[in-house]
Amino acid sequence: MKTICFYFQIHQPFRLRRYRFFDIGNSHYYYDDFQNEEIFRRIAEKCYIPANRTIKEMIEQSGGKFKVAFSITGTATEQMEIYSPEVLDSFRELAQSENVEFLSETYAHSLSSLGDPDEFRFEVKQHKDKLNSLFGVKPKVFRNTELIYSDEISELVYRLGFKGMLTEGAKHVLSWKSPNYVYSSATQPQLKLLLKNDRFSEDLSVRFGDYSWNEYPLTADKYISWIAQTPETEKIFSIFLNYEVLGSMKAAETGIFDFFKALPKYAEKNGITFSLPSEALEANKPISSISVPYPMSWVDEEKDCSSWLGNVLQQEAFRKINEISERVRLCEDRRIRQDWIYLQSSDHFYYMNTKHYNMFSPYDNPYDAFNNYMNVLSDFILRVEAQYPSSVDNEELNSLLTMIRNQSQEIEQLQKQVETLQKKTKTAKKG
């Protein structure tokens, strides 16, 4: 029996304000609150609220047969808390359903898996803690930023305790193989992989509503029939999308919500079910392993990471922020740690992309994005070095901090002993 595995990405970065060279050392607030709130509220109105309502209706009207998975970044949940608590409430309501699964990823939707394994592990834990505190869930399956995957990353993910991961079904990796099966990592065979079906995903994310497409208009009946007509041995159809496809990237007027509402009815007619990622991975054994020596993603035709790290601007910014990662992790200043997380978001690097026009960028051009980010980063580095001077190397600094913490613990223990002795002395005097 064929099954469809729907997964939606939900992410919003904290966009930076215009931060000029003369702000360095004088102003430590980096964010464009007006723009962040305006964008979030607009997307919430067009997408998050009506889409969540649609998903809830689909689950109820299908008698619990429709299922869906979400990956919500930590920065997105923070903006829900700040700008639109009703969106957070609607996700909490969905979280109570057994038909909805929440996936784990990096807290800030960062590129840490490509350059900083320690930061990657920290962000994954931070994200899991956030999901648990907000929705009471413990994710079983991992989904990396923009489906970025490699053999090396698969080992990191497996060591974090995950038995399953989502990634791209890239043609340069699969060759003649179909993405409609469960695979495993070549270097960590115990890690199962669900691969995005590019064709059926992009029929919705790219081609839906396109008048020039020879299959326009796309109906739920036609879409399900295409899946039903695939070879009988192909069982799992992983449809991975940005959630904003529903109502924002594809406006409600295109019929996108009506299309989704009709899917369960036609799927049932064709004997096709819906599965959560964890269910699909548990119910199927890998048919083969895939080897990915170089990182791939779900972006652009190349399906690589050049959209974030493909030019010298991006590479320099990425190198610069990774240089101070160890010192930031030693830091206990809450504001510094918060800014560090927000500066990790992959969006900042994507805005520096020179490959093509970026309709989502708040900047006039990639060079403007680079200059703004580097100005912010320069001020941030000054703040970090004010606490932990660069004249002291990381190893020596860590040793000194450990000594200070140990002395602090010893002082605390001695204070407790003094308090105990004082109580005993008072008791003896009364006796």
Side-chain angles (χ1 to χ4, degrees):
M1 182 178 288
K2 296 181 186 297
T3 192
I4 297 172
C5 185
F6 269 114
Y7 149 76
F8 292 107
Q9 166 188 293
I10 300 163
H11 167 60
Q12 292 296 331
F14 281 89
R15 296 163 192 83
L16 304 175
R17 69 178 178 88
R18 294 289 175 172
Y19 193 89
R20 308 190 185 282
F21 176 80
F22 296 104
D23 290 325
I24 299 172
N26 296 312
S27 174
H28 305 318
Y29 192 78
Y30 309 136
Y31 313 106
D32 189 335
D33 293 332
F34 176 81
Q35 186 181 48
N36 287 322
E37 180 174 4
E38 189 276 326
I39 290 173
F40 191 91
R41 287 187 180 278
R42 172 161 42 86
I43 294 174
E45 182 181 347
K46 290 184 175 181
C47 172
Y48 300 152
I49 293 173
N52 281 3
R53 186 165 55 242
T54 297
I55 297 295
K56 186 172 182 290
E57 289 175 7
M58 291 172 70
I59 293 171
E60 292 171 350
Q61 293 173 6
S62 67
K65 292 178 182 177
F66 182 73
K67 299 179 180 182
V68 66
F70 294 104
S71 180
I72 311 178
T73 63
T75 54
T77 61
E78 286 191 31
Q79 291 195 36
M80 289 176 195
E81 291 173 305
I82 298 169
Y83 303 129
S84 189
E86 64 272 24
V87 172
L88 195 57
D89 289 339
S90 66
F91 275 111
R92 283 196 178 105
E93 192 173 355
L94 287 176
Q96 294 173 7
S97 170
E98 294 181 354
N99 295 57
V100 174
E101 179 172 10
F102 289 86
L103 308 181
S104 178
E105 74 154 83
T106 55
Y107 190 93
H109 201 66
S110 76
L111 301 174
S112 55
S113 62
L114 299 176
D116 192 340
D118 289 334
E119 178 63 24
F120 177 73
R121 284 186 283 267
F122 175 81
E123 279 198 50
V124 173
K125 182 183 183 305
Q126 188 181 20
H127 184 257
K128 287 173 70 175
D129 291 343
K130 187 72 171 180
L131 287 183
N132 192 31
S133 67
L134 289 177
F135 308 122
V137 298
K138 294 182 179 180
K140 302 174 184 176
V141 179
F142 187 77
R143 183 268 184 197
N144 198 18
T145 303
E146 304 295 335
L147 294 184
I148 293 173
Y149 177 88
S150 69
D151 294 337
E152 186 176 351
I153 292 171
S154 75
E155 294 189 40
L156 279 173
V157 171
Y158 182 77
R159 290 192 196 113
L160 287 170
F162 296 100
K163 297 300 188 332
M165 183 173 177
L166 275 55
T167 189
E168 172 66 34
K171 289 181 181 178
H172 72 273
V173 171
L174 287 177
S175 184
W176 55 269
K177 296 177 183 177
S178 167
N180 305 326
Y181 300 93
V182 170
Y183 289 84
S184 66
S185 162
T187 55
Q188 194 52 260
Q190 297 301 312
L191 184 71
K192 293 182 177 182
L193 305 173
L194 274 183
L195 308 184
K196 173 190 163 207
N197 184 301
D198 213 42
R199 174 205 163 178
F200 289 119
S201 297
E202 295 197 355
D203 280 347
L204 303 183
S205 64
V206 178
R207 292 178 280 274
F208 189 93
D210 181 359
Y211 294 96
S212 65
W213 185 29
N214 62 350
E215 293 293 349
Y216 178 87
L218 180 60
T219 63
D221 186 13
K222 184 190 295 186
Y223 186 76
I224 291 295
S225 71
W226 289 343
I227 293 176
Q229 290 164 15
T230 57
E232 189 177 339
T233 55
E234 298 184 9
K235 301 295 184 185
I236 305 169
F237 296 81
S238 298
I239 316 299
F240 300 163
L241 307 168
N242 189 318
Y243 204 30
E244 292 173 35
V245 167
L246 277 70
S248 184
M249 296 168 69
K250 305 295 177 184
E253 292 76 19
T254 64
I256 190 70
F257 290 112
D258 293 330
F259 171 88
F260 265 84
K261 287 178 183 178
L263 284 176
K265 180 178 73 173
Y266 290 107
E268 187 173 17
K269 283 184 179 179
N270 286 271
I272 297 173
T273 63
F274 296 91
S275 296
L276 300 173
S278 58
E279 292 175 337
L281 290 166
E282 189 174 344
N284 295 273
K285 293 181 179 180
I287 65 160
S288 176
S289 64
I290 59 170
S291 178
V292 187
Y294 304 104
M296 66 175 177
S297 75
W298 70 346
V299 174
D300 296 336
E301 290 185 16
E302 299 89 347
K303 305 298 183 186
D304 59 13
C305 296
S306 59
S307 288
W308 303 278
L309 298 174
N311 64 44
V312 293
L313 304 177
Q314 296 165 316
Q315 292 161 12
E316 172 63 13
F318 192 60
R319 181 191 68 80
K320 200 70 176 175
I321 195 168
N322 283 327
E323 277 184 352
I324 59 167
S325 60
E326 287 186 48
R327 289 175 181 272
V328 173
R329 280 191 289 274
L330 292 172
C331 181
E332 294 182 355
D333 185 302
R334 188 183 63 82
R335 280 290 304 278
I336 286 180
R337 294 302 296 266
Q338 184 183 56
D339 290 337
W340 169 255
I341 285 292
Y342 294 170
L343 291 175
Q344 291 288 321
S345 292
S346 60
D347 309 71
H348 303 307
F349 301 91
Y350 192 71
Y351 300 148
M352 304 174 200
N353 188 349
T354 54
K355 289 171 60 178
H356 46 64
Y357 172 72
N358 186 349
M359 62 181 291
F360 300 107
S361 176
Y363 301 98
D364 294 333
N365 56 65
Y367 308 99
D368 190 16
F370 173 76
N371 287 332
N372 202 67
Y373 184 79
M374 294 304 284
N375 284 342
V376 169
L377 191 57
S378 296
D379 182 79
F380 180 76
I381 291 172
L382 287 176
R383 290 165 60 200
V384 173
E385 290 191 346
Q387 293 200 24
Y388 305 121
S390 56
S391 57
V392 183
D393 63 44
N394 288 333
E395 189 174 341
E396 183 181 354
L397 182 60
N398 194 19
S399 176
L400 288 170
L401 289 172
T402 301
M403 184 187 300
I404 291 169
R405 291 191 187 104
N406 289 340
Q407 287 177 344
S408 178
Q409 289 174 0
E410 287 178 17
I411 291 169
E412 189 176 342
Q413 289 174 357
L414 288 170
Q415 285 176 337
K416 287 180 180 179
Q417 290 177 15
V418 169
E419 288 173 4
T420 303
L421 289 171
Q422 286 176 338
K423 287 179 182 177
K424 287 182 179 179
T425 303
K426 287 180 180 180
T427 305
K429 287 181 179 179
K430 288 180 182 179

